[in-house]
Amino acid sequence: MGETRMAKFEEAPHSIYEGMVPVARLKDGHVYRHVISLLVDNEAGVLARVSGMISGRGYNIESLTVAEIDRDRQLSRINIATSGTRQVIEQVKAQLGRLVPVHEVRDLTDEGPCVARELALVKVACVGESRAEALKCCEIFRASVVDSTPQSFVFEVIGDTAKVDAFIDLMRPLGLVEVSRTGIAAIARGAAGFLKDSN
Amino acid sequence: MAARAAALKAEDHPEEFMSGARLILKALEDQGVEVVFGYPGGAVLPIYDELFKQNRIRHILVRHEQAAVHAAEGYARSTGKVGCVLVTSGPGATNAVTGLTDALMDSTPIVCLTGQVPTHLIGNDAFQEADTIGITRPCTKHNYLVRDAEQLARVIHEAFHVARTGRPGPVVVDIPKDVSMGQGRYAPPLQSASAHKTYRPRTAPDPRAIREAVALMARAKRPVFYTGGGVINSGARAVAALRELLALTGFPITSTLMGLGAYPADQDQWLGMVGMHGTFEANLAMHGCDLMIAVGARFDDRVTGNLALFSPGSRKIHIDIDPSSINKNVVVDVPVVADCGEALEALVAAWKAETAPRPGLAAWWRQVAEWRGRDCLHYEQKGPVIKPQHAIQRLFEIAKDRDPFICTEVGQHQMWAAQFCGFTRANRWITSGGLGTMGFGLPAAIGAQIAHPDALVIDIAGEASALMNIQELSTAVQHKAAVKLFIINNQYMGMVRQWQEMLHGARYAHSYTEALPDFVKLAEAFGCAGLRVSDPARLDGTIREMLEIPGPVVCEVAVDPAENCFPMIPSGKAHNEMILSAQDAAAKRITGEGLALV
């Protein structure tokens, strides 16, 4: 097992027909982090179905976000960051695919290069030199100030999880008092789209 | 445009609007429902009123909602149709939860209509309110809350479609009382399986997977088929294709508890059941094979034993309609995501076309014959006490010419029934496999009997399990379901006692039932016939008497209370570490991690 590995896009990890995953890949005991996106019917309880299945089966979820993306077709997108062995990740995807309101399950990590971003609102209470230091960090991270009082700032920072983590760590000694994060929104790079054939 | 035209037409024809309750009944009729198992209550009164006004759908009044679901399971498993349940809100729905979970674990198609408090009271802790959708979400294949009578017919049709297709399972439709009392228009059933916008289970196998599977089969020197309940769920075509494929290949076959009957037990290729209480030859064939062909089976822990030691030298083909069953417990080489019937038919065709020279199987069959020589199910009926195995073996021997439906409860008697009833047809064996629900058998037998009024339906029970839903004798009497409740009475929760003996120093904590009822008087109190036998010489006569009595009968067989069920793969052990007898058990104590397993 050991530490979690950041899974990288590999050439054709899957074989040519449904369910086929090379045995050697499934027997790889390392833990990988995967980003999975679902297209679901935006109906009452769909988030409870997804989160209940995940907790009921004991899968490890680092982030789960949901929002409507197509009002006319009542579609929502759920982005899940999860970690597990290859065998567990395949199970997570298969179990998600089994839920009736799920249109499509995409493993963005496997399908290869993808962008994942999250937004954090970070409140720092500080005076004096710390204020200047906080603003300098804000600039370096291309964060923006969305609220300011003589005793505090609220920064908005957008980036991948590691960047947001780094920004928050820098704010900690400067008077960090509160953090609110969105969890990730993720999308595959390139021209291929999620919505085109899911009607 | 067509929808708009229909809507305009409906405004001109107000008679097309019906009450929600009427819409429900009409939808059930159009789904071919003949029987509903249920129990009335406040939130479903409008639906019951509508049931009262018609004669096409028969209602079977049970005595507890759990039994309504089990009865529907017995109906479904004996017919291949969807079982239908109707219960009220709150306690009606929560009582049904065990049955729903049972149906989910054993992939049994059920549609359960639950009443709900009126929509404006939902969330207010109203009388007999429960969050049925929340409670049943993890124990159903899918569930629906219908908030508008206009949606009722569509949702009910969809519920039946989801319950019966793909990997079958239970579906709950929660109906607030104001919806069943409201007005709406009828919608006909879905026209095709692909009509659903998200739910489209794959049934046809990928030809590339079939080609790979047949290539492995043609080269195999030590192959074994391992089949499960999925073959029976898939239906008559799958059963016929399985039998043809077995005849063509000459491979040996074993089956899970749920799959018994798909392949006839009187054939030479049949190895007996696999798993914790499976036969020596089946388990060693699974352990020693070079190719395992799993069909509609899910590598359950009761089948595999210790996963790390499971069938170490084999390539594996896995046919399953549910992609999540594949690579879940055991990593397989060739997955075939498909309906078992379609996949087996494709394998038959591909096998006939495959011309590669095949290695002979003579050596493998010689090995199997050697394992069979151990006669692992051997027991001795001697002395003045009836052995439980003997009681079950005699029962099946005497009853088998009448093509009986055999139901069971859960425990030792269930395993002995699986070992000693040699099923030759599918859908004749109805047992709670995945969930292991004590109290399943009697209501399931009633459901099977309602579906097959002239058939012989027997529930083989233990005295502890029998008491869990004994109130259903009243249902059997009311609805003239002539089930035979055959109670193997050893005065213990036998399987619990067996484990306590093997794992916990024979400290029999609460597994002995004091103050058991007099089952003969109990039967008579319900209006059934009651029989009791304890003398081995009178066993056959008593069984014949039970079968000859026309109505429901309770037959109590007093058996050896100390008998244990063998063979047994102890928890945490591999298929080649079976315990074959009581003497063997003393030599192979269960230790370490095995103690923590169930």
Side-chain angles (χ1 to χ4, degrees), chain B residues 35 49 83 116 130 279 306 337 342 353 387 401 429 480 516 579:
Chain B
V35 185
D49 199 40
Q116 183 54 277
T279 63
N306 188 326
V337 178
E342 292 187 35
K387 288 283 184 188
D401 290 341
W429 165 245
K480 300 187 172 54
L516 280 170
I579 295 175

Side-chain angles (χ1 to χ4, degrees), chain B residues 345-585:
Chain B
E345 284 174 359
L347 283 178
V348 165
W351 180 264
K352 284 176 177 168
E354 168 73 48
T355 53
R358 291 161 193 170
L361 299 175
W364 180 227
W365 276 111
R366 271 197 303 280
Q367 175 66 72
V368 169
E370 191 186 307
W371 290 329
R372 272 182 177 150
R374 288 291 289 267
D375 190 15
C376 67
L377 298 180
H378 178 76
Y379 65 91
E380 279 184 39
Q381 174 60 51
K382 59 183 181 195
V385 183
I386 300 173
K387 288 283 184 188
Q389 300 98 314
H390 182 63
I392 290 167
Q393 198 169 22
R394 290 310 303 155
L395 171 72
F396 190 75
E397 204 54 41
I398 292 166
K400 70 178 181 188
D401 290 341
R402 292 177 57 185
D403 192 18
F405 291 88
I406 304 285
C407 304
T408 75
E409 309 291 339
V410 170
Q412 285 182 323
H413 68 275
Q414 177 191 31
M415 292 298 113
W416 284 316
Q419 291 172 340
F420 289 97
C421 296
F423 296 99
T424 54
R425 300 186 63 186
N427 303 102
R428 294 297 183 278
W429 165 245
I430 300 163
T431 193
S432 171
L435 193 63
T437 310
M438 291 170 73
F440 170 86
L442 177 57
I446 292 170
Q449 187 81 75
I450 295 294
H452 307 272
D454 301 321
L456 172 61
V457 182
I458 301 168
D459 176 34
I460 300 176
E463 80 291 339
S465 282
L467 284 175
M468 276 211 184
N469 268 323
I470 196 72
Q471 77 285 349
E472 297 308 314
L473 284 175
S474 177
T475 307
V477 171
Q478 180 183 340
H479 299 285
K480 300 187 172 54
V483 296
K484 314 302 178 196
L485 176 56
F486 191 72
I487 300 176
I488 304 293
N489 185 353
N490 62 1
Q491 303 171 69
Y492 280 103
M493 295 154 212
M495 196 58 92
V496 174
R497 200 224 51 221
Q498 177 167 343
W499 281 54
Q500 287 173 333
E501 184 179 322
M502 298 173 82
L503 271 71
H504 297 281
R507 291 179 297 279
Y508 299 132
H510 306 281
S511 56
Y512 178 78
T513 314
E514 283 180 58
L516 280 170
D518 177 329
F519 283 100
V520 173
K521 283 186 183 164
L522 185 67
E524 287 166 355
F526 278 107
C528 305
L531 303 170
R532 178 185 292 124
V533 60
S534 56
D535 176 0
R538 288 193 50 244
L539 178 64
D540 281 17
T542 309
I543 290 170
R544 290 204 169 84
E545 192 183 349
M546 173 181 85
L547 300 188
E548 275 154 26
I549 295 170
V553 185
V554 177
C555 178
E556 178 196 1
V557 186
V559 299
D560 182 352
E563 193 65 24
N564 282 339
C565 186
F566 295 111
M568 178 177 180
I569 301 174
S571 30
K573 300 287 186 181
H575 279 176
N576 60 347
E577 298 174 285
M578 261 169 289
I579 295 175
L580 289 168
S581 65
Q583 296 76 31
D584 219 11

Side-chain angles (χ1 to χ4, degrees), chain A residues 122-126 151-153 171-172 174-179:
Chain A
V122 181
K123 186 182 282 185
V124 183
C126 51
Q151 294 82 32
S152 69
F153 291 115
M171 290 300 117
R172 215 175 290 283
L174 302 178
L176 182 74
V177 290
E178 194 174 342
V179 176

